[in-house]
Amino acid sequence: MKHVRFTIMIIMFALILPLCSGYQVEAASKRDYLKIGLKVGSNCVSTATLKSDQGFLLGTIDGRRFEEGMPLPAYNEIAISSENGNIVVRDMDGVLLSADMGSSGCIMPADYEDEGILYYDGTPYRGGIQFLAKSNNSMAVINVIRLEHYVYGVLNSELGYTNPKEALKAQAVVARSYAEQNLGKHSADGFDLCTSTHCQVYKGYSGEYDATNKATDETEGELLLYDGEPVSAFYFKNSGGYTQNSEDVWSGKLPYLRAVKDEYSPSYPWSTSLSFEIIKTKLESAGFSPGTIESVSINGYNNTGAVSELKIVGSGATVYLKKENIRNVLGATIVKSNMFTLGKGSSSGAGNGTWNISNGLKGSESSANAKLYVIGDSGKAKKIDADGLYGSNGQVTIVLGSRSSESSQTVTTGTVEFNGYGYGHGVGMPQDSAVEMAKQGFDYKEILEYFFADIEVE
Ligand SMILES: [Zn+2]
């Protein structure tokens, strides 16, 4: 019985294909599709269901263009499985519809040209779904989607829809530019971008809101350009007062990713403690063999005041962590930025820790230029000498370590306290500052021009 129906389907396919050939030209003239990996790598699946109110269209994705193939208007739900290297499509009664969609097969909702929505295992997506057969009867699930619709699905996850409109528009431009510049980032695995923070957080149609879709529409197609080429539009949460040169965080020097003294950064203080034992474990996970940790110290700053090198002396080896590797090794959500100072951690109250006071001038800047001010209740500022400065809250008196004091930046026992400002790698646009600038009346182009040097928005 099943065999008979399969034969009928093949005949239908043969009859319908020539009728559809007229659509292929039209489809090829439409805008390009990108491929977003929904279930990839260790998250590959063996079966999936697709739902669409309007039925389906089986076709192929050839490069970045969708070629229409067999329509399935009578079906609202179909089942897909990976079987011996083939992508098999059946109806919900198990009747075979396609014995193998092939590696370029793609399933669209029939109304894909008209804002159609496809449900993959219950989750709605714009565009279509491609399945790639993998080993052990598993398959990768790829969302095939137009750039503007992809930005719809990213924007709220990267900057919440309740934020001011001009900040959302700035975020739409950087998210679109990032996607454009990073197309093929996962090409070795058959898709462009993943759905996590590794690329940009993407939630499909469920992540869409009126405000974020509107910000996308109002900047439709706009990219950040340098010398006419799309840029690597990096962004992050909070600068701590200064953004960073790209080469001070990673290795490549890009002319539009320059450090900016950020006048709009809302204060974002953080503090965390790491025991020597935990630091040892983290270093070992990263492939180092430090032995017993003996001391942790800051070994250099860049000219924005960010830590450029952390020196960790162990009984087995001395480890130098440079630039973004400090956060990569110790944990980027733990050491939230490189704008930190060190203190000796203690569980017996703040009065026993080392408190640091800073004027933001560190490293290569001359100490002769350093100025430190205190601000009284009246708001009046008074310049003071940093050395030998004490502070008291009435219960404890503390030494406010001067910036030239090596002792305040080397910890030799137990637990290291990281006290810092800002969150993220520091390169490109700080989202908190984009929001603040929008609140102060700047438009999205002014926001982007403030953080990216010599760029155009087009
Ligand atoms: Zn990725």
Side-chain angles (χ1 to χ4, degrees):
M1 182 62 189
K2 277 183 184 174
H3 179 74
V4 173
R5 290 185 68 174
F6 181 35
T7 309
I8 292 169
M9 282 307 305
I10 290 172
I11 293 165
M12 275 176 63
F13 193 73
L15 286 173
I16 290 163
L17 258 186
L19 299 176
C20 291
S21 60
Y23 290 104
Q24 292 179 18
V25 177
E26 190 187 354
S29 69
K30 297 286 183 184
R31 282 169 295 163
D32 290 349
Y33 284 95
L34 9 170
K35 297 178 179 180
I36 312 301
L38 302 180
K39 298 286 180 187
V40 294
S42 58
N43 291 321
C44 280
V45 298
S46 53
T47 60
T49 60
L50 293 181
K51 280 188 192 178
S52 160
D53 294 341
Q54 306 296 320
F56 303 97
L57 185 60
L58 267 56
T60 54
I61 185 86
D62 180 14
R64 304 206 163 276
R65 307 292 168 127
F66 176 66
E67 306 276 345
E68 295 190 355
M70 179 174 67
L72 293 173
Y75 296 89
N76 294 122
E77 190 170 7
I78 51 178
I80 294 89
S81 53
S82 176
E83 299 173 21
N84 304 316
N86 297 327
I87 297 298
V88 181
V89 184
R90 292 188 172 86
D91 72 12
M92 299 314 283
D93 296 324
V95 177
L96 194 64
L97 301 178
S98 172
D100 183 18
M101 287 183 57
S103 58
S104 60
C106 177
I107 302 174
M108 289 280 184
D111 53 343
Y112 79 103
E113 288 287 28
D114 187 30
E115 307 282 299
I117 303 292
L118 193 62
Y119 289 81
Y120 155 66
D121 279 358
T123 306
Y125 291 94
R126 292 180 190 267
I129 301 283
Q130 180 183 20
F131 298 93
L132 295 177
K134 301 289 179 187
S135 57
N136 297 325
N137 288 336
S138 72
M139 58 189 181
V141 183
I142 314 286
N143 186 194
V144 175
I145 188 166
R146 293 208 168 109
L147 178 58
E148 296 302 311
H149 290 164
Y150 166 74
V151 177
Y152 280 177
V154 162
L155 200 42
N156 175 69
S157 298
E158 295 292 349
L159 189 65
Y161 71 95
T162 56
N163 280 297
K165 188 183 202 177
E166 294 302 315
L168 291 174
K169 285 163 74 174
Q171 180 71 52
V173 174
V174 293
R176 187 183 292 114
S177 302
Y178 183 91
E180 184 77 23
Q181 178 66 18
N182 286 280
L183 285 180
K185 191 171 178 181
H186 291 274
S187 61
D189 292 314
F191 60 101
D192 289 307
L193 301 166
C194 70
T195 59
S196 76
T197 52
H198 176 262
C199 289
Q200 300 187 103
V201 176
Y202 168 74
K203 295 196 169 158
Y205 187 68
S206 2
E208 294 185 17
Y209 293 84
D210 286 346
T212 44
N213 285 8
K214 205 167 179 188
T216 307
D217 292 344
E218 289 183 15
T219 60
E220 186 181 344
E222 289 185 359
L223 299 171
L224 275 184
L225 304 177
Y226 181 87
D227 265 356
E229 295 294 324
V231 308
S232 294
F234 291 102
Y235 58 92
F236 60 100
K237 181 167 172 54
N238 188 292
S239 73
Y242 248 108
T243 70
Q244 302 293 317
N245 292 316
S246 57
E247 71 274 19
D248 289 340
V249 175
W250 302 302
S251 53
K253 181 175 181 176
L254 289 167
Y256 47 87
L257 298 175
R258 302 290 87 209
V260 174
K261 185 167 179 12
D262 182 358
E263 309 278 356
Y264 304 98
S265 184
S267 182
Y268 191 94
W270 55 268
S271 185
T272 193
S273 294
L274 291 176
S275 70
F276 278 16
E277 199 53 38
I278 288 176
I279 291 172
K280 180 187 178 200
T281 306
K282 287 178 181 289
L283 288 176
E284 285 172 349
S285 300
F288 298 103
S289 305
T292 304
I293 305 294
E294 292 167 354
S295 74
V296 177
S297 57
I298 291 175
N299 212 35
Y301 301 92
N302 69 33
N303 56 17
T304 70
V307 175
S308 59
E309 189 169 85
L310 195 65
K311 180 183 178 183
I312 302 158
V313 177
S315 61
T318 297
V319 177
Y320 296 91
L321 297 179
K322 294 185 201 308
K323 305 180 187 180
E324 191 65 357
N325 252 350
I326 298 170
R327 298 178 65 231
N328 290 342
V329 171
L330 298 182
T333 59
I334 299 167
V335 177
K336 291 188 171 178
S337 77
N338 275 17
M339 295 285 219
F340 63 78
T341 56
L342 296 182
K344 181 175 174 293
S346 167
S347 58
S348 56
N352 292 332
T354 301
W355 293 10
N356 298 298
I357 187 165
S358 166
N359 57 8
L361 292 175
K362 288 169 181 166
S364 60
E365 294 184 51
S366 162
S367 63
N369 294 328
K371 295 184 181 68
L372 194 61
Y373 295 85
V374 287
I375 300 171
D377 290 346
S378 63
K380 205 170 173 183
K382 186 174 186 296
K383 190 181 166 194
I384 54 167
D385 183 354
D387 289 316
L389 185 71
Y390 293 82
S392 173
N393 62 4
Q395 291 177 319
V396 289
T397 300
I398 56 164
V399 181
L400 299 170
S402 84
R403 61 184 213 87
S404 57
S405 164
E406 171 72 12
S407 64
S408 69
Q409 297 305 307
T410 300
V411 179
T412 53
T413 50
T415 297
V416 192
E417 199 173 86
F418 292 77
N419 301 302
Y421 282 92
Y423 195 171
H425 49 61
V427 180
M429 185 185 82
Q431 294 167 309
D432 283 358
S433 304
V435 169
E436 179 58 28
M437 288 181 79
K439 283 179 183 167
Q440 292 188 24
F442 292 94
D443 72 25
Y444 74 103
K445 288 188 179 176
E446 290 171 322
I447 296 169
L448 295 167
E449 283 161 2
Y450 188 78
F451 292 109
F452 295 95
D454 304 323
I455 50 92
E456 286 169 6
V457 182
E458 272 180 31

